[in-house]
Amino acid sequence: MQLLRGTKDILPDEIIFWQHIYQTVYNILDLHNYKEIRTPIIESTNLFERSIGSDTDIINKEMYSFIDQGNRNITLRPEGTASIARSFINNKLYAKKKINKLWYMGPMFRYERPQSGRQRQFHQLGIECIGSSNPIADAEVIRLANQILNKLKCSNHKIEINSIGNFEERSLYREKLISYLTPYKDDLDQESQRRLSTNPLRILDSKNDKTKEILSHAPNLQEYLTRESKKHFEEVCEFLNTMDVPYTINNKLIRGLDYYNDTAFEITLNDKSSKDAICGGGRYDTLIQQLGGPKTPSVGWAIGIERLLILIKNSLKLKNHDTLIYIAPIGMKAQTKVWEFIKILEHHKVKFELDLSNDTLKKKIKCAHQLNAQFCIIIGDEEISNNSVALKNLINGEQNNIAITEFNTIIHSIYNT
Ligand code: HAM
């Protein structure tokens, strides 16, 4: 049986990185009173269609959708924000608190062409600050992304931000952009030619050199922003300055999801070794209302864990904790007796592995060495009749018989618990 393309097993050796990320993120976000939320992996297809936008890549070609036995149209979530918005409305979270600061970490699904840092099942860590239109909320979430990345030793990143204005400002600009680009249609890259009639603003984000050249004289979205939108953006930038969060303004930055307004941002690597974003986010003031909830301005981001791991794995230098004691009972009687010792190890929180094999003692000891255990506890017929255990030091080879009554004291003195 083969693993599905674009999916990966996360093996025990790698889990320590995931646990480290979870713990680091938990510590930072808990300090800022962000609460963890877990929503289902499956949702109604409709939720994503109504949230992400019908002219986006996710909706057009990347959704894992199916009809279930009850004839419902279901989708494996491609992102977290729509689900959080749904949950916020369903559970009336707005009734309990004016501002809800939420975070999540879990698998997402997009049918993309698999490559390094791009999978079909991937994981996102995301935060959503729901209920504030204040620019300080935008700045706080960006600061948190920066802080989390720094803490995880991903320091070579750059934050790019832009203001994409509100819906009316963008539709006005959209018309201007279409008029400007239409005469150049045949010179645009294929994707941009298609986008000209579906989602022209996304052309601004094109990586194609010729398209970029044409865009260099295109009208600027910023010229179509109202004073209010400009003020919001300026204040976000001012807050970031006072917070000492480094950023650059990129007026061509357009996000691939349609629910954003005003602030949009992405975090990529500084050295251009990969142009894929590690983090993407922005403000989405109309999404919750659009889904049937109250008017609730919000802002958030998501970090792709697999992309982050590629960058930080080497600098984290994490190590699996070694097994300290290997327990080798020989024979049925010893397997019954062994639990008395296990209780003592459990009490002292000393990590152990119980040998479950019918192997010879020699093989059991070899196995203990392979696990890097410091000691091996051997219990055979002789030890049972003497009411003792043999404690073998696997580092210097010394072996001592210890009376059962002394075992607790010895373990306490070795591990100083
Ligand atoms: P997004 O930009 O679509 O935004 O995804 C966020 C991050 O998820 C990306 O920057 C990337 O690191 C990771 N990612 C996306 N697709 C893949 C993939 N196929 N394989 C590996 N990693 C991937 C969102 O999803 C928004 N919900 C973010 C947000 C939260 N906006 C506001 N709140």
Side-chain angles (χ1 to χ4, degrees):
M1 284 291 267
Q2 286 296 313
L3 188 74
L4 285 180
R5 214 164 112 75
T7 66
K8 267 193 187 148
D9 296 317
I10 306 168
L11 297 175
D13 273 351
E14 215 183 334
I15 281 290
I16 46 170
F17 294 99
W18 291 77
Q19 289 165 341
H20 178 78
I21 291 176
Y22 183 91
Q23 202 51 53
T24 307
V25 164
Y26 174 86
N27 291 343
I28 294 176
L29 293 176
D30 187 52
L31 204 60
H32 290 79
N33 212 21
Y34 269 77
K35 306 285 183 200
E36 185 175 354
I37 179 167
R38 298 185 188 187
T39 59
I41 284 169
I42 51 172
E43 296 272 3
S44 291
T45 302
N46 199 345
L47 170 67
F48 302 112
E49 285 173 349
R50 283 176 58 185
S51 311
I52 296 171
S54 52
D55 289 330
T56 59
D57 286 350
I58 298 183
I59 298 299
N60 279 333
K61 48 186 188 190
E62 295 173 0
M63 298 247 279
Y64 273 95
S65 300
F66 60 96
I67 308 286
D68 78 357
Q69 276 87 332
N71 229 11
R72 298 174 198 90
N73 213 325
I74 309 282
T75 292
L76 302 185
R77 62 181 185 191
E79 57 109 42
T81 311
S83 305
I84 306 291
R86 183 216 31 82
S87 175
F88 175 83
I89 300 167
N90 286 166
N91 296 292
K92 297 195 172 50
L93 296 186
Y94 46 85
K96 295 172 198 141
K97 262 173 130 186
K98 189 164 181 294
I99 295 177
N100 280 269
K101 298 185 175 187
L102 304 171
W103 74 278
Y104 54 93
M105 189 166 146
M108 308 289 160
F109 304 82
R110 294 184 194 176
Y111 192 82
E112 292 193 73
R113 187 200 293 260
Q115 49 189 281
S116 168
R118 181 158 309 199
Q119 291 178 201
R120 289 181 176 168
Q121 177 177 335
F122 60 100
H123 296 74
Q124 278 185 350
L125 154 72
I127 75 172
E128 311 293 353
C129 175
I130 302 178
S132 171
S133 59
N134 194 326
I136 196 172
D138 311 40
E140 186 199 29
V141 299
I142 296 174
R143 178 178 182 271
L144 278 169
N146 189 50
Q147 194 175 355
I148 287 172
L149 293 175
N150 283 336
K151 190 81 188 167
L152 288 168
K153 298 203 161 46
C154 175
S155 43
N156 190 21
H157 60 267
K158 69 162 190 269
I159 303 171
E160 290 181 286
I161 71 172
N162 190 19
S163 175
I164 56 166
N166 61 29
F167 181 75
E168 292 77 39
E169 291 157 357
R170 275 201 310 279
S171 20
L172 191 65
Y173 175 67
R174 192 175 187 267
E175 296 315 312
K176 301 283 172 200
L177 187 65
I178 294 175
S179 318
Y180 170 79
L181 288 174
T182 304
Y184 299 103
K185 188 173 177 189
D186 294 341
D187 299 321
L188 297 174
D189 60 279
Q190 258 189 355
E191 186 65 19
S192 297
Q193 288 187 20
R194 200 184 53 78
R195 282 181 169 154
L196 193 56
S197 54
T198 58
N199 199 347
L201 262 70
R202 289 281 288 146
I203 299 176
L204 295 181
D205 210 27
S206 169
K207 307 284 180 274
N208 179 280
D209 285 339
K210 197 155 181 204
T211 303
K212 275 169 54 183
E213 159 87 40
I214 296 169
L215 284 171
S216 61
H217 303 290
N220 194 335
L221 171 57
Q222 267 54 43
E223 288 159 22
Y224 296 84
L225 299 189
T226 56
R227 196 134 43 115
E228 203 185 333
S229 294
K230 282 184 182 154
K231 184 166 172 278
H232 183 95
F233 189 60
E234 280 161 16
E235 287 180 15
V236 174
C237 294
E238 270 172 41
F239 280 125
L240 291 174
N241 292 338
T242 49
M243 291 166 172
D244 278 335
V245 175
Y247 65 91
T248 49
I249 296 173
N250 173 359
N251 288 146
K252 298 253 160 26
L253 193 153
I254 299 289
R255 305 269 301 125
L257 303 97
D258 277 359
Y259 49 62
Y260 294 111
N261 62 276
D262 294 300
T263 317
F265 56 91
E266 280 186 354
I267 305 183
T268 45
L269 267 199
N270 236 335
D271 62 11
K272 293 202 162 60
S273 56
S274 160
K275 54 182 176 5
D276 284 334
I278 314 161
C279 173
R283 181 163 274 288
Y284 51 98
D285 291 343
T286 51
L287 175 64
I288 290 173
Q289 196 174 23
Q290 207 176 296
L291 293 175
K295 191 163 186 264
T296 316
S298 305
V299 57
W301 50 252
I303 291 176
I305 303 289
E306 282 81 359
R307 287 191 193 168
L308 177 64
L309 266 175
I310 295 175
L311 310 174
I312 63 174
K313 225 169 162 180
N314 290 335
S315 36
L316 281 181
K317 297 196 174 57
L318 299 181
K319 212 172 147 265
N320 257 322
H321 288 295
D322 287 335
T323 314
L324 299 174
I325 294 192
Y326 195 76
I327 310 176
I330 303 156
M332 176 72 185
K333 259 194 187 164
Q335 285 174 0
T336 315
K337 190 79 185 160
V338 88
W339 302 100
E340 287 176 31
F341 301 101
I342 287 181
K343 273 189 197 157
I344 293 170
L345 296 176
E346 285 173 338
H347 174 75
H348 290 288
K349 297 197 168 57
V350 174
K351 193 166 166 176
F352 62 90
E353 176 156 336
L354 172 63
D355 180 290
L356 304 174
S357 74
N358 289 322
D359 287 341
T360 59
L361 180 59
K362 201 171 157 197
K363 278 197 179 158
K364 286 180 197 278
I365 289 180
K366 191 172 166 201
C367 202
H369 277 294
Q370 279 167 350
L371 289 177
N372 281 330
Q374 293 175 340
F375 291 96
C376 182
I377 295 174
I378 303 161
I379 318 172
D381 289 344
E382 202 184 313
E383 284 77 18
I384 291 173
S385 60
N386 294 341
N387 239 350
S388 68
V389 283
L391 186 67
K392 186 176 175 67
N393 184 326
L394 296 171
I395 297 162
N396 60 18
E398 240 174 53
Q399 184 167 325
N400 291 305
N401 259 51
I402 299 172
I404 287 184
T405 48
E406 281 175 58
F407 187 74
N408 187 33
T409 323
I410 300 270
I411 291 299
H412 178 73
S413 69
I414 298 176
Y415 291 105
N416 224 357
T417 55

